[in-house]
Amino acid sequence: MKFNGIDFDTYFKNYPNKEGYFGKYGGSYVSPELQKAMDEITEAYFTICKSRKFIDELRRIRREFQGRPTPISHLERLSNKYGNVQLYAKREDLNHTGAHKLNHCMGEVLLAKYMGKKKVIAETGAGQHGVAMATAAAYFGLECDIHMGSVDIKKQAPNVARMKILGANIVEVTHGLATLKEAVDSAFEAYANDYQNSMYCIGSVVGPHPFPMMVRDFQHVVGEESRDQFIKMTGELPDAIVACVGGGSNSAGFFSGFLNDPVDIYGIEPLGRGTALGDHAASLQYGTEGIMHGFNSIMLKDENGDPAPVYSVASGLDYPSSGPEHAFLHELGRVKYDVINDDDTIDAFYELSRLEGIIPAIESAHAVAYGIKLAKEMDHGSVIICLSGRGDKDMDYVIENYGIR
């Protein structure tokens, strides 16, 4: 399939290019010393990812440890409430550790072990990446430092406890807004000081090359499974698919299975409290081109051109930029990026819980809310929602701030 001059039959061979660019987005904007570390990771990845031993080991881990493939569930009661559109959910909440994050964490830590590293470093916002990284480190016997903002540590206490039980060292980040962006800053600084012995395992499709490509490739299993499962269930492709987008790891993997198909693809960003700068984290909707954390993409900027303060009810989405591939797909128009605010997100959180017995992560509830919106607007058809994680981590926060509805 061709779209705006791009041949999606050969898309994954051409994007990113050798320098890590998706069109003009991506690349590697780091110091010469840190670039040596990026080059080492790139070389190791392109060597190991073609190895039968590595592929077989990753498949075995996914099957025997992660519990893959995760199923697709028909959300029948939710569908019936909102019309004739049939809603489905790709159940990444049933992946071990409760989210999609383990898909790339097991791959990244396996790569780190192959490279002879003794420790992995990671950032986390909602805590799902931190838990997955702590799990992978425990599985492979590596040390693990997780950098997390103090605001998110308070919001995500259950996941903090899980990381500690798994043996991870939590590095509390207190500067700035003390959320995800600052956690990334802190993790990069720690990695720059110890890259010979450690590997920074980035938690999304962001950062310098090769991470946007590598994380997408490890998450491709979500889209690959979804496409095959849905065809087996229904005999056809879905009319649309929906996923939330912060940095964009779950969505990049999910979308990758359908880019070459006549399927409408929706990426949903957090509108938060409204359109004013500092009240949302919808970078693709309201941002401009800029460089941060070693990559060029679309980002929200303050009056000085620096990364702007951002907000979302979902700790995993409050990041002032988005992955470079998302910026590229947005520019092409292949993926339609839209927004959902906090109120609609919390409503969807309760809707899915009450009607289907599935408590979603607040991040995932953004996609659920948009799936409901599509169900109201479409006359008929089918929509798969990527349920990127479960909501155990969010229950106390939701009850404290929104009450029981």
Side-chain angles (χ1 to χ4, degrees):
M1 182 179 92
K2 285 192 175 182
F3 192 93
N4 281 349
I6 301 296
D7 187 351
F8 280 93
D9 285 327
T10 57
Y11 176 80
F12 295 106
K13 290 184 178 180
N14 297 323
Y15 297 98
N17 66 12
K18 291 182 180 180
E19 289 74 39
Y21 284 95
F22 300 86
K24 63 182 177 181
Y25 303 110
S28 182
Y29 297 81
V30 297
S31 68
E33 191 68 16
L34 200 54
Q35 187 58 50
K36 294 177 184 178
M38 294 298 108
D39 292 341
E40 180 191 16
I41 293 170
T42 302
E43 180 64 25
Y45 177 68
F46 277 117
T47 300
I48 196 174
C49 75
K50 302 298 183 183
S51 161
R52 178 180 176 181
K53 182 178 180 181
F54 178 86
I55 293 168
D56 286 348
E57 176 67 1
L58 195 56
R59 286 176 175 172
R60 184 193 66 77
I61 288 168
R62 286 173 172 172
R63 182 177 63 251
E64 298 178 7
F65 182 69
Q66 292 185 229
R68 302 206 69 89
T70 59
I72 285 181
S73 296
H74 181 203
L75 307 178
E76 187 172 4
R77 294 187 66 204
L78 193 66
S79 302
N80 290 341
K81 179 173 180 177
Y82 288 105
N84 299 317
V85 174
Q86 300 304 305
L87 300 174
Y88 296 81
K90 176 56 172 170
R91 300 291 305 281
E92 290 301 290
D93 60 312
L94 298 180
N95 192 37
H96 181 46
T97 74
H100 69 289
K101 294 291 187 180
L102 197 61
N103 299 329
H104 67 255
C105 287
M106 294 304 286
E108 285 180 315
V109 181
L110 182 58
L111 180 61
K113 188 170 183 179
Y114 169 86
M115 295 171 67
K117 304 300 183 182
K118 305 301 181 184
K119 181 170 74 174
V120 289
I121 298 169
E123 86 296 329
T124 195
Q128 294 292 62
H129 176 60
V131 170
M133 186 54 59
T135 299
Y139 183 91
F140 289 109
L142 273 64
E143 297 177 44
C144 180
D145 286 352
I146 304 294
H147 295 248
M148 190 173 191
S150 56
V151 171
D152 293 332
I153 286 175
K154 292 177 183 177
K155 286 175 68 175
Q156 305 295 341
N159 273 346
V160 174
R162 292 169 77 191
M163 286 183 269
K164 291 180 178 179
I165 288 171
L166 288 161
N169 173 44
I170 309 300
V171 180
E172 183 172 1
V173 181
T174 58
H175 65 274
L177 294 177
T179 55
L180 182 56
K181 185 257 179 192
E182 289 76 22
V184 176
D185 292 339
S186 178
F188 258 116
E189 182 178 353
Y191 178 54
N193 292 329
D194 190 31
Y195 65 85
Q196 294 91 347
N197 300 307
S198 63
M199 177 171 158
Y200 180 17
C201 298
I202 294 177
S204 194
V205 286
V206 298
H209 179 64
F211 284 98
M213 171 194 67
M214 192 165 69
V215 173
R216 177 202 67 187
D217 291 352
F218 286 137
Q219 289 294 344
H220 178 67
V221 66
V222 180
E224 185 178 42
E225 284 180 5
S226 298
R227 188 181 189 279
D228 291 345
Q229 289 169 324
F230 195 80
I231 290 174
K232 287 177 181 177
M233 286 178 72
T234 67
E236 59 186 13
L237 290 165
D239 293 285
I241 64 171
V242 183
C244 64
V245 179
S249 56
N250 89 97
S251 43
F254 187 43
F255 296 168
S256 68
F258 297 90
L259 287 175
N260 198 33
D261 293 318
V263 172
D264 290 333
I265 302 177
Y266 296 90
I268 310 308
E269 295 189 292
L271 186 59
R273 297 178 292 242
T275 59
L277 193 65
D279 282 343
H280 64 84
S283 57
L284 294 171
Q285 289 292 314
Y286 301 106
T288 56
E289 186 177 353
I291 296 169
M292 65 175 288
H293 292 151
F295 69 105
N296 182 48
S297 187
I298 301 298
M299 60 182 277
L300 294 166
K301 301 175 184 176
D302 63 17
E303 63 277 7
N304 299 316
D306 296 321
V310 292
Y311 159 81
S312 170
V313 70
S315 296
L317 301 181
D318 56 357
Y319 187 66
S321 187
S322 190
E325 185 170 19
H326 286 296
F328 181 56
L329 293 171
H330 175 60
E331 187 175 271
L332 286 177
R334 177 63 189 97
V335 177
K336 303 171 185 178
Y337 292 89
D338 208 341
V339 295
I340 284 290
N341 65 29
D342 282 359
D343 288 339
D344 289 343
T345 295
I346 298 302
D347 287 344
F349 176 90
Y350 276 110
E351 285 270 72
L352 190 67
S353 300
R354 298 285 171 80
L355 292 177
E356 298 292 345
I358 302 170
I359 303 174
I362 297 179
E363 292 77 14
S364 312
H366 284 75
V368 176
Y370 202 83
I372 291 171
K373 179 181 178 181
L374 288 177
K376 293 176 180 178
E377 295 173 351
M378 296 166 60
D379 292 331
H380 53 77
S382 56
V383 178
I384 308 176
I385 300 162
C386 186
L387 201 66
S388 56
R390 67 183 184 223
D392 306 41
K393 65 184 179 61
D394 298 313
M395 292 187 296
D396 291 344
Y397 176 81
V398 170
I399 291 171
E400 181 179 346
N401 289 275
Y402 294 92
I404 298 292
R405 296 188 178 181

